Amino acid sequence: MRRLFPVPAETSAEASAAASARASAEDREWGLGELADAYAYPEPPHGLSGAWLRANMVSSLDGAAHHDGRSKALSSDADMRIFGVLRGLADAVVVGAETVRCEGYRPARAREAFAERRAALGQSSAPAIAVVSASLDLDFSRPLFTEPLVPTIVITGATAAEERVGLARAAGAEVVFAGSGPSGRVDAAAVVTALAELGHTRLLTEGGPTLLAEFAAAGVLDELCLAVAPLATAGDAKRIMNGPELREPERFALASVLEEAGFLFTRYRRIYQ
């Protein structure tokens, strides 16, 4: 892996600075601690919403967010290392119900590599998984609900069926209501607020495309980590955001680019007006 942007300037008079610049740009294996430093959340992790919401997505060269219904075909070893690091830094991982069903989500696990860092920040041993679902059409017998280190959070709307709410709670999930409208839809901005009120301010969303589009439309997406795979898929797969067009395009600034085996790991931060 090598850093393409930003590369430390080699114009410094100090030899150590020049050596650092060369090391950053050379192609080598990065340790988990080094990646964690590169992707650290801002401190305090507060965007305009009261938390910092980061998205992690992968896309093919031609814009597909998945192939044959899953994102795994677009991934790589380096992508999975960064996936693990981003989880290791987060308080909670926010994901849509359809993605949970399609990708076979399991509980996040505690990893020794991040234990000291998480303890210093007052985080639990592993991030909570927060599933967004208006219908609560979820299999509550799955390990995601019955075997997590940290109770799974289910975020739903005000009109969720009491029976489904009861099943979620019986499985050990924490049920959070976000959105009070009669439509029963979950309000994307309220999701972030509700999680922040639970003390989860370092948020990571892994989509899917519909949920990510809702976060963008609500103006609460602070950062996008986008892996661009050197693959073409054609077909009619969704883009990483699949929802109504924003009234005005949201502008982001490039924060960093890493590269390994042709994969580009980009990180963009929202520009606040």
Side-chain angles (χ1 to χ4, degrees):
M1 181 171 287
R2 57 188 177 132
R3 186 193 298 274
L4 301 183
F5 178 84
V7 175
E10 296 193 39
T11 57
S12 172
E14 298 180 7
S16 60
S20 175
R22 290 191 294 273
S24 182
E26 71 182 10
D27 195 357
R28 58 187 175 80
E29 184 172 342
W30 285 38
L32 293 179
E34 193 173 8
L35 284 170
D37 289 340
Y39 282 96
Y41 281 83
E43 293 296 338
H46 295 165
L48 294 181
S49 62
W52 188 269
L53 178 61
R54 158 188 287 168
N56 182 35
M57 300 292 284
V58 64
S59 170
S60 68
L61 289 175
D62 53 329
H66 58 78
H67 181 66
D68 196 25
R70 300 189 65 185
S71 60
K72 186 176 181 179
L74 304 180
S75 188
S76 69
D77 289 344
D79 182 47
M80 293 310 298
R81 285 203 308 275
I82 291 175
F83 173 92
V85 167
L86 294 182
R87 282 195 166 195
L89 297 174
D91 296 334
V93 178
V94 191
V95 63
E98 182 63 20
T99 298
V100 166
R101 289 188 289 263
C102 291
E103 301 283 354
Y105 262 59
R106 297 183 63 83
R109 58 191 177 94
R111 299 181 62 184
E112 184 61 31
F114 304 106
E116 184 176 346
R117 186 184 296 262
R118 293 184 68 86
L121 293 171
Q123 294 175 298
S124 57
S125 59
I129 303 295
V131 184
V132 180
S133 175
S135 68
L136 296 183
D137 181 18
L138 299 162
D139 183 352
F140 294 114
S141 68
R142 303 289 296 176
L144 176 62
F145 302 101
T146 61
E147 301 177 9
L149 284 173
V150 179
T152 294
I153 301 168
V154 176
I155 305 175
T156 191
T159 62
E162 291 185 10
E163 179 185 4
R164 301 303 298 175
V165 171
L167 288 172
R169 287 176 171 156
E174 180 175 4
V175 179
V176 173
F177 295 93
S180 57
S183 69
R185 293 180 59 84
V186 179
D187 181 86
V191 169
V192 176
T193 300
L195 289 171
E197 289 175 350
L198 293 175
H200 301 311
T201 56
R202 300 172 186 86
L203 301 178
L204 169 67
T205 181
E206 295 169 352
T210 301
L211 180 62
L212 185 54
E214 290 172 356
F215 282 135
V220 294
L221 180 63
D222 299 294
E223 182 177 324
L224 173 63
C225 298
L226 175 63
V228 181
L231 303 168
T233 67
D236 57 358
K238 296 177 181 178
R239 300 184 304 172
I240 65 166
M241 294 188 193
N242 186 64
E245 184 175 83
L246 300 184
R247 182 176 300 177
E248 294 290 340
E250 195 74 65
R251 182 170 291 278
F252 287 71
L254 182 64
S256 66
V257 183
L258 304 177
E259 183 274 337
E260 182 171 306
F263 282 76
L264 296 178
F265 301 98
T266 68
R267 185 163 58 97
Y268 290 87
R269 287 187 170 179
R270 181 181 171 194
I271 297 175
Y272 296 102
Q273 303 299 325

Coordinates of all heavy atoms in Angstrom, one line a residue, residues 12 15 29 31 39 52 55 115 125 187 222 230 239 241 243 259:
S12 N 11.6 20.0 3.3 CA 12.1 20.3 4.7 C 13.6 20.1 4.8 O 14.2 19.2 4.1 CB 11.4 19.5 5.7 OG 12.0 19.7 7.0
A15 N 16.3 15.9 7.7 CA 16.4 14.6 7.0 C 15.2 13.7 7.4 O 14.7 12.9 6.5 CB 17.7 13.9 7.3
E29 N 3.5 -2.8 3.1 CA 2.4 -3.2 3.9 C 2.2 -2.3 5.1 O 3.2 -2.1 5.8 CB 2.5 -4.7 4.4 CG 1.3 -5.2 5.1 CD 1.3 -6.6 5.5 OE1 2.1 -7.3 4.8 OE2 0.6 -7.1 6.3
G31 N 0.7 -1.4 8.8 CA 0.1 -2.0 10.0 C -1.2 -1.5 10.3 O -1.6 -0.4 9.9
Y39 N -7.0 7.0 9.6 CA -8.4 7.1 9.5 C -9.1 7.6 10.8 O -10.3 7.5 11.0 CB -9.1 5.8 9.1 CG -8.9 5.4 7.6 CD1 -7.9 4.7 7.1 CD2 -9.9 5.9 6.7 CE1 -7.8 4.4 5.8 CE2 -9.8 5.7 5.4 CZ -8.7 4.9 4.9 OH -8.6 4.6 3.6
W52 N -20.2 12.4 14.3 CA -19.5 12.4 13.1 C -19.9 11.1 12.3 O -19.6 10.0 12.8 CB -18.0 12.4 13.3 CG -17.2 12.6 12.0 CD1 -16.7 11.6 11.2 CD2 -16.8 13.9 11.4 NE1 -16.0 12.2 10.1 CE2 -16.1 13.5 10.2 CE3 -17.0 15.2 11.7 CZ2 -15.6 14.5 9.4 CZ3 -16.5 16.2 10.9 CH2 -15.8 15.8 9.7
A55 N -19.1 7.2 6.1 CA -19.6 6.1 5.3 C -18.4 5.4 4.7 O -17.4 6.0 4.3 CB -20.5 6.6 4.1
A115 N -7.9 -2.6 21.1 CA -8.3 -2.6 22.5 C -7.8 -1.3 23.3 O -8.6 -0.7 24.0 CB -7.9 -3.8 23.2
S125 N -15.8 -2.6 23.9 CA -14.8 -3.5 23.3 C -15.0 -3.7 21.8 O -14.0 -4.0 21.1 CB -14.8 -4.9 24.0 OG -16.1 -5.5 23.9
D187 N -36.5 8.6 10.1 CA -35.9 9.9 9.7 C -34.4 9.8 9.8 O -33.9 9.5 10.9 CB -36.5 11.0 10.6 CG -35.9 12.4 10.2 OD1 -36.5 13.0 9.3 OD2 -34.9 12.8 10.8
D222 N -20.9 13.3 7.0 CA -19.7 14.2 7.2 C -18.6 13.7 6.4 O -17.7 14.5 6.0 CB -19.3 14.2 8.7 CG -20.4 14.7 9.6 OD1 -20.7 15.9 9.5 OD2 -21.0 14.0 10.4
P230 N -10.6 -1.7 -9.3 CA -10.2 -1.7 -10.8 C -10.9 -2.8 -11.5 O -10.4 -3.7 -12.2 CB -8.7 -2.0 -10.7 CG -8.5 -2.9 -9.5 CD -9.6 -2.4 -8.5
R239 N -25.9 2.5 -7.7 CA -24.7 3.3 -7.3 C -24.6 3.3 -5.8 O -25.5 2.7 -5.1 CB -24.8 4.7 -7.8 CG -25.0 4.9 -9.3 CD -25.0 6.3 -9.8 NE -26.0 7.1 -9.1 CZ -26.2 8.4 -9.2 NH1 -25.3 9.1 -9.9 NH2 -27.2 9.0 -8.6
M241 N -25.1 5.5 -3.8 CA -26.2 6.2 -3.3 C -27.4 6.1 -4.3 O -27.2 6.3 -5.4 CB -25.9 7.7 -3.1 CG -24.9 8.1 -2.0 SD -24.8 9.8 -1.7 CE -23.3 9.9 -0.7
G243 N -31.2 7.1 -4.4 CA -32.3 7.8 -3.8 C -32.7 9.0 -4.6 O -32.1 9.3 -5.6
E259 N -3.4 3.5 -2.2 CA -3.5 2.6 -3.3 C -2.8 1.3 -3.0 O -1.8 1.3 -2.4 CB -2.8 3.3 -4.5 CG -3.0 2.4 -5.8 CD -1.9 1.4 -6.0 OE1 -0.8 1.5 -5.4 OE2 -2.1 0.4 -6.7

